[in-house]
């Protein structure tokens, strides 16, 4: 079986619409647990968001978008 790669534009849209709520809500959720240091705040927020996108959202999206075709 041959797999076709998902459309790059569709993957970009999935990234955009997934990152939008994560970037909007996670900083406010984490803020009470972290001090006033902006650099640490940004580093922790990124340490939460990047694995969500990299290990959860994108593998699922690519799996759903990849089509199996017969050779």
């Amino acid at each position: 079986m041959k797999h076709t790669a998902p459309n790059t534009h569709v993957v970009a849209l999935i990234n955009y619409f997934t990152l939008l709520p994560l970037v909007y809500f996670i900083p406010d959720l984490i803020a009470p647990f972290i001090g006033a240091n902006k650099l640490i705040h940004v580093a922790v927020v990124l340490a939460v968001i990047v694995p969500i996108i990299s290990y959860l959202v994108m593998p699922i999206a690519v799996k759903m978008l990849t089509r199996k075709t017969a050779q």
Side-chain angles (χ1 to χ4, degrees), residues 18-29 45 49:
T18 304
L19 282 169
L20 191 63
L22 293 176
V23 170
Y24 187 79
F25 290 114
I26 288 179
D28 292 337
L29 293 173
V45 168
I49 292 174

Side-chain angles (χ1 to χ4, degrees), residues 6-70:
N7 186 330
T8 307
H9 302 296
V10 173
V11 172
L13 279 173
I14 291 169
N15 269 322
Y16 176 79
F17 286 115
T18 304
L19 282 169
L20 191 63
L22 293 176
V23 170
Y24 187 79
F25 290 114
I26 288 179
D28 292 337
L29 293 173
I30 292 177
F33 304 106
I34 298 177
N37 188 334
K38 183 77 170 177
L39 179 60
I40 292 174
H41 187 178
V42 170
V44 170
V45 168
L46 283 174
V48 171
I49 292 174
V50 169
I52 291 171
I53 293 295
S54 299
Y55 298 116
L56 291 175
V57 175
M58 291 318 298
I60 293 169
V62 169
K63 191 175 199 179
M64 290 175 62
L65 293 172
T66 302
R67 293 174 177 80
K68 295 179 185 178
T69 59

